[in-house]
């Protein structure tokens, strides 16, 4: 029993990390939807290979599916190159067509073999560990752990090996090309990896939820950091946390494991989105209120500064008329004047405001920035 | 002639299914036109996946399987998903594609969780999820045809009434705003119509293939015309054609699911249009290219010959 | 606020910020009727934003805009707008005539469709900009200059008193440039006011009679011969520190 828990969580973590690593580059290259397309479009490749090998974890199947995945990318790019179809429409045309072929193949010919649509679309993590690798009668653990583990190592190796090239071609493709780094090759390498990873993850989470694993953790990490290396690490960590917490959520409520991992991915993204310092929703809201007052004071001093020494200056600096000129709510205007007086940006003579030396320098600074 | 004899031999059930599929194809084809023009082709994909938790919650709350209630739940969830995508893009540096991918997959995952929850209470049958994923074109009843016809008809009538405003919104938003048209309201209206088309279309082809029903007819139609009204009309026709032909083909042999067949029919129409459409099509382009090359060759030959003759 | 009726456009204390970043600081601008005004300034100076703020397309953080003494909402009918050419998708399935007729949509109001009268107005406008031979041309087949002239024709059918144009000279051919200039002069003779976001400093004195120098705040505005001075230009473009000493 405990072994089951461990096995499933281990598979979930390895799958999540394997998906998150190439996912980082997809998110940064604005190609997330390509992974959605690939994960659906590889179905015919899987089906045909399955007919030939009658196994869902044979290397041939992974190769065939990866080939179909790359073919999808080629199709989308060819369609775009005709200039008759925009990129989004090209993706939206290609993957449903290939997926449809896969579905028809399955229902037409696969009635008697074990390959049902639910497994392909939704995965079944709860059973993923049942198929175990046995060598000379020794139980060496679940097969899918070995498959995903290999894919994870492959992804890791590719990223470590081509880190510089990936980084450059992601942030400046033309420079990468000029330096002879062959961004097209890197691009197709990445797409092959995504295809391979997607096939591997099929068993566990199916083709729809794999997108959550690929896009979720990197996007969450992107809210936290700017640095590519940190983003990769964080994505892996966040992916693992989502996987484990999703597993226990599913165990607690007895619901789909893959579904709850996806749900945790959304919650995690939402949580980080809310609380992350500097870029989170709360931080933005707090900064906005603070800046609103600062901004209003700056606006006030600039207003006075612009009209200083001009004939209309008197009319423009009358406290009672400020809200008319700046179109402020009178109560807001009073409060801003109060703050500005406190900060000694302005001084008040009867009903007129004049800039202090300090206020003037604030205005000047704001204008040169 | 062969087609005619097939049509005559259509039995009543098949006829109803074909009419339903044609109506759905027409509705999603015409409304998909705007989605394609606004480069929101994949928004349909997200909305259709995001609809699952809405359907589940509507069922959990009301315990009813009335299509209208489930459709309402689906529409609300689809709407919420769209809103979330737009908020993520506006408030963070996450780009549109990632926001769309996250909402699509995680909403769907949450729907899956709810679905297993419902299943466990023994209230629903497994068929529910398959229906959502692949549609149930084969089980369309006469009453469904009326629902599709009325709701889809209303959506199309609204679109036609505000034709001028929606066209301006899609072509030149800033100019529309300067004329005083409330672009936010129009934007919401257009997205709502798209949600209606998607939620209805789920019945025919299901969530996974819905984006094809929005995109394919419109992309095919775009190749034949440079006029929005004609494009929309053609897209409706292509959508209906795909619906009918898909239904008939899938009924003619055993174990060919209807939804994917409809999508493949639509794809064939796209392929044909891209290859052979007048003026824009690839074949046309190739002929023009050859002709240009020919005339260029004639011209250069003539140019080259003159100095040769002079040098002799 | 007296005599504001005499001003075609009156901008007072206008501040616009995108999120927390101010784009325009406390802008004052008076545009008298029947002048051709060029707004010039470096990239990111807020020229487009100023036009959009005048049109009510962006909400100002502070300040006020009046068109002949009334807010923009009340004066919409008398204001015409020519957006940047690059702001629309020229692959949209429509033809030249249709785009030009869009200029009448405001006057038509909700739901009503353009008819024969709108068609005639559009044809007339196309003749004026020398595009009458292209009436049924698909818009993606036009050159940059031709696209610009289509936009001008669309503004023409708006039959406005005030025109706001965002970089109409950007990347156009000589024919189009001449056509625009002729049109601008015609507008001025008819007592119309035109505000143009302009990039080419060399032509300011030839094409315009008023100029506004803008760089987040207004550096100067007024008749070209008084305002378009090397000193003001230096303040706008170069030594940004120079103006602080006033």
């Amino acid at each position: 029993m405990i072994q089951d828990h461990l096995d499933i969580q281990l598979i979930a973590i390895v799958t999540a990390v394997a998906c998150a690593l190439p996912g980082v580059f997809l998110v940064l290259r604005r190609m997330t939807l390509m992974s959605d397309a690939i994960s659906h479009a590889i179905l015919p490749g899987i089906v045909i290979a399955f007919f030939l090998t009658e196994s869902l974890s044979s290397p041939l199947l992974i190769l065939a599916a990866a080939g179909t995945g790359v073919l999808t990318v080629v199709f989308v790019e060819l369609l775009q190159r005709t200039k008759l179809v925009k990129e989004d429409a090209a993706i939206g045309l290609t993957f449903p067509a290939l997926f449809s072929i896969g579905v028809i193949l399955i229902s037409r010919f696969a009635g008697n073999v074990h390959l049902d649509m639910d497994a392909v679309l939704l995965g079944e993590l709860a059973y993923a560990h049942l198929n175990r690798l046995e060598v000379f009668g020794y139980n060496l653990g679940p097969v899918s752990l070995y498959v995903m583990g290999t894919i994870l190592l492959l992804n890791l190796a590719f990223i470590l090996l081509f880190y510089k090239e990936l980084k450059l071609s992601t942030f400046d493709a033309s420079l990468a090309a000029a330096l002879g780094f062959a961004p097209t090759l890197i691009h197709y390498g990445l797409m092959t990896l995504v295809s391979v990873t997607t096939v591997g993850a099929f068993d566990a989470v199916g083709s729809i939820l794999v997108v959550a694993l690929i896009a979720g953790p990197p996007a969450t990490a992107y809210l936290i950091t700017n640095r590519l290396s940190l983003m990769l690490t964080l994505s892996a960590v966040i992916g693992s946390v989502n996987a484990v917490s999703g597993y226990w959520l599913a165990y607690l409520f007895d619901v789909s494991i893959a579904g709850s991992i996806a749900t945790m991915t959304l919650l995690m993204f939402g949580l980080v989105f809310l609380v992350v310092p500097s870029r989170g929703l709360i931080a933005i809201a707090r900064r906005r209120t603070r800046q609103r007052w600062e901004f209003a004071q700056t606006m006030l001093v600039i207003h006075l500064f612009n009209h200083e020494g001009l004939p209309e200056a008197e009319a423009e600096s009358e406290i009672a008329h400020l809200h008319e000129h700046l179109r402020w709510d009178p109560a807001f205007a009073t409060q801003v004047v109060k703050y500005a007086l406190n900060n000694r940006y302005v001084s008040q003579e009867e009903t007129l405001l004049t800039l202090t030396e300090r206020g003037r320098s604030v205005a000047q600074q704001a204008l040169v920035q | 002639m062969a087609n005619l004899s097939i049509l005559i031999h259509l039995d009543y059930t098949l006829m109803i299914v074909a009419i339903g599929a044609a109506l759905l194809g027409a509705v999603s084809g015409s409304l998909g036109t705007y989605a394609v023009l606004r480069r929101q082709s994949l928004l349909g994909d997200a909305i259709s996946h995001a609809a699952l938790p809405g359907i589940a919650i509507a069922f959990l709350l009301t315990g009813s399987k009335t299509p209208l209630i489930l459709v309402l739940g689906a529409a609300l969830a689809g709407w919420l998903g769209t809103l979330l995508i737009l908020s993520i893009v506006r408030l963070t540096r996450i780009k549109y594609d990632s926001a769309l991918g996250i909402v699509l997959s995680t909403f769907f995952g949450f729907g899956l969780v709810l679905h297993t929850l419902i299943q466990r209470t023994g209230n629903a049958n497994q068929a529910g999820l398959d229906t959502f994923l692949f549609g149930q074109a084969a089980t369309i009843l006469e009453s469904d045809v009326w629902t599709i016809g009325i709701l889809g008809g209303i959506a199309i009538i609204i679109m036609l009434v505000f034709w001028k405003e929606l066209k301006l919104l899609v072509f030149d938003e800033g100019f529309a705003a300067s004329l005083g048209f409330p672009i936010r309201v129009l934007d919401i209206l257009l997205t709502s119509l798209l949600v209606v088309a998607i939620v209805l279309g789920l019945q025919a082809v299901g969530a996974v293939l819905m984006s094809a029903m929005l995109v394919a007819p419109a992309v095919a139609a775009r190749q034949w015309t440079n006029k929005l009204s004609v494009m929309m009309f053609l897209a409706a026709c292509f959508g209906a054609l795909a619906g009918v032909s898909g239904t008939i083909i899938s009924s003619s042999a055993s174990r060919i699911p209807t939804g994917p067949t409809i999508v493949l029919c639509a794809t064939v129409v796209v392929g044909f249009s891209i290859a052979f459409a007048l003026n824009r099509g690839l074949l046309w382009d190739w002929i023009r290219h050859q002709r240009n090359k020919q005339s260029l060759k004639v011209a250069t030959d003539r140019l080259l010959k003159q100095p040769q003759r002079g040098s002799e | 606020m007296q005599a504001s009726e005499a001003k075609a456009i009156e901008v007072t204390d206008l501040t616009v910020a995108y999120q927390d970043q101010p784009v325009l600081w406390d802008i004052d601008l008076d545009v008298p009727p029947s002048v051709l005004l060029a707004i010039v300034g470096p990239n990111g100076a807020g020229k487009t934003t100023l036009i959009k703020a005048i049109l009510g397309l962006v909400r100002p953080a502070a300040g006020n805009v009046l068109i002949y003494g009334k807010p923009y909402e009340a004066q919409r009918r008398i204001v015409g707008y020519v957006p940047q050419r690059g702001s629309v998708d020229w692959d949209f399935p429509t033809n030249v005539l249709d785009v030009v007729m869009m200029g009448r949509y405001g006057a038509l109001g909700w739901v009503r469709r353009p008819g024969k009268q709108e068609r005639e107005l559009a044809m007339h406008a196309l003749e004026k900009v020398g595009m009458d031979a292209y009436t049924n041309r698909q818009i993606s087949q036009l050159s940059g200059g031709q696209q610009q002239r289509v936009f001008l024709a669309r503004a023409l059918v708006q039959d406005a008193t005030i025109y706001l144009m965002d970089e109409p000279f950007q990347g156009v051919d000589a024919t189009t440039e001449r056509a625009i200039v002729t049109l601008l002069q015609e507008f001025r003779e008819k007592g119309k006011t035109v505000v143009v976001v302009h990039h080419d400093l060399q032509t300011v004195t030839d094409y315009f009679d008023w100029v506004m120098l803008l760089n987040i705040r207004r550096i100067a505005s007024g008749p070209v011969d008084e305002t378009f001075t090397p000193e003001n230009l230096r303040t706008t473009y170069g030594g940004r520190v120079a103006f602080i000493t006033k």
Side-chain angles (χ1 to χ4, degrees), chain C residues 6-113:
Chain C
K7 294 168 188 163
I9 302 172
E10 185 184 7
V11 178
T12 40
D13 305 318
L14 184 79
T15 297
V16 178
Y18 285 133
Q19 283 164 10
D20 314 320
Q21 203 56 43
V23 189
L24 292 173
W25 271 124
D26 205 65
I27 302 290
D28 289 300
L29 175 68
D30 290 340
V31 187
S34 59
V35 298
L36 301 180
L37 172 96
I39 302 179
V40 293
N43 284 330
K47 302 183 295 285
T48 297
T49 309
L50 177 57
I51 284 210
K52 286 191 170 166
I54 294 174
L55 288 163
L57 300 184
V58 293
R59 261 221 342 256
N64 206 359
V65 176
L66 295 176
I67 310 286
Y68 280 108
K70 288 187 199 144
Y72 177 73
E73 290 74 45
Q75 302 282 47
R76 220 164 240 147
R77 271 311 109 68
I78 63 163
V79 181
Y81 173 41
V82 180
Q84 270 180 35
R85 189 156 48 83
S87 67
V88 303
D89 175 12
W90 289 94
D91 200 28
F92 191 86
T94 188
N95 61 27
V96 167
L97 184 70
D98 204 39
V99 172
V100 177
M101 283 199 292
M102 287 177 185
R104 296 305 299 164
Y105 282 12
L108 281 169
W110 285 92
V111 180
R112 262 181 58 204
R113 302 288 171 85

Side-chain angles (χ1 to χ4, degrees), chain C:
Chain C
M1 303 226 169
Q2 318 88 341
S4 51
E5 247 81 337
K7 294 168 188 163
I9 302 172
E10 185 184 7
V11 178
T12 40
D13 305 318
L14 184 79
T15 297
V16 178
Y18 285 133
Q19 283 164 10
D20 314 320
Q21 203 56 43
V23 189
L24 292 173
W25 271 124
D26 205 65
I27 302 290
D28 289 300
L29 175 68
D30 290 340
V31 187
S34 59
V35 298
L36 301 180
L37 172 96
I39 302 179
V40 293
N43 284 330
K47 302 183 295 285
T48 297
T49 309
L50 177 57
I51 284 210
K52 286 191 170 166
I54 294 174
L55 288 163
L57 300 184
V58 293
R59 261 221 342 256
N64 206 359
V65 176
L66 295 176
I67 310 286
Y68 280 108
K70 288 187 199 144
Y72 177 73
E73 290 74 45
Q75 302 282 47
R76 220 164 240 147
R77 271 311 109 68
I78 63 163
V79 181
Y81 173 41
V82 180
Q84 270 180 35
R85 189 156 48 83
S87 67
V88 303
D89 175 12
W90 289 94
D91 200 28
F92 191 86
T94 188
N95 61 27
V96 167
L97 184 70
D98 204 39
V99 172
V100 177
M101 283 199 292
M102 287 177 185
R104 296 305 299 164
Y105 282 12
L108 281 169
W110 285 92
V111 180
R112 262 181 58 204
R113 302 288 171 85
K116 205 172 155 224
Q117 198 193 344
E118 281 72 27
R119 180 180 290 268
E120 271 166 19
L121 281 168
M123 289 299 294
H124 190 66
L126 281 169
E127 251 168 65
K128 272 208 124 146
V129 297
M131 287 289 291
D132 42 333
Y134 298 88
T135 318
N136 289 315
R137 186 67 68 92
Q138 149 72 10
I139 54 171
S140 66
Q141 294 162 5
L142 301 175
S143 73
Q146 290 169 334
Q147 290 174 350
Q148 192 62 56
R149 278 187 272 163
V150 170
F151 262 18
L152 280 175
R154 183 175 73 172
L156 265 176
V157 301
Q158 284 188 275
D159 195 23
T161 325
I162 295 174
Y163 282 105
L164 299 166
M165 304 184 178
D166 202 345
E167 304 212 5
F169 292 104
Q170 178 78 14
V172 300
D173 50 285
T175 322
T176 305
E177 182 145 352
R178 266 196 309 278
I180 301 175
V181 173
T182 316
L183 202 65
L184 291 182
Q185 267 144 14
E186 213 170 288
F187 278 155
R188 184 179 43 195
E189 274 155 33
K190 286 186 184 156
K192 296 175 195 260
T193 312
V194 189
V195 176
V196 177
V197 171
H198 197 54
H199 250 138
D200 183 11
L201 294 177
Q202 317 240 304
T203 51
V204 169
T205 36
D206 293 341
Y207 294 170
F208 299 96
D209 40 26
W210 275 53
V211 67
M212 175 196 200
L213 295 160
L214 181 74
N215 191 354
I216 308 205
R217 73 168 200 150
R218 187 195 59 168
I219 309 300
S221 67
V224 170
D225 42 359
E226 292 167 25
T227 319
F228 202 64
T229 59
E231 197 202 333
N232 279 338
L233 280 172
R234 211 175 306 125
T235 315
T236 314
Y237 285 87
R240 289 173 133 193
V241 203
F243 67 87
I244 292 166
T245 48
K246 257 183 159 179

Side-chain angles (χ1 to χ4, degrees), chain A residues 128-183:
Chain A
H129 67 291
L130 294 182
N131 183 9
R132 304 186 80 88
L133 187 68
E134 282 183 35
V135 179
F136 304 122
Y138 289 102
N139 183 348
L140 294 178
V143 173
S144 48
L145 190 57
Y146 285 97
V147 175
M148 269 335 279
T150 313
I151 292 173
L152 172 59
L153 287 179
L154 195 70
N155 287 350
L156 211 57
F158 181 81
I159 290 171
L160 288 177
L161 219 56
F162 299 108
Y163 186 75
K164 189 174 76 237
E165 286 80 358
L166 275 168
K167 192 173 176 176
L168 194 60
S169 67
T170 299
F171 294 108
D172 192 344
S174 46
L175 179 64
L179 293 177
F181 280 143

Side-chain angles (χ1 to χ4, degrees), chain A residues 321-343:
Chain A
H321 293 304
L322 263 182
H323 68 269
E324 274 174 25
H325 288 292
L326 295 170
R327 256 197 162 179
W328 280 344
D329 180 43
F332 181 73
T334 318
Q335 193 63 34
V336 174
V337 171
K338 209 173 112 192
Y339 280 138
L341 284 169
N342 278 347
N343 281 331

Side-chain angles (χ1 to χ4, degrees), chain A residues 16-36:
Chain A
V17 176
C19 287
L21 291 180
V24 167
F25 295 99
L26 290 187
V27 167
L28 290 175
R29 290 165 165 244
R30 308 184 185 186
M31 294 185 58
T32 313
L33 293 172
M34 202 57 112
S35 74
D36 186 33

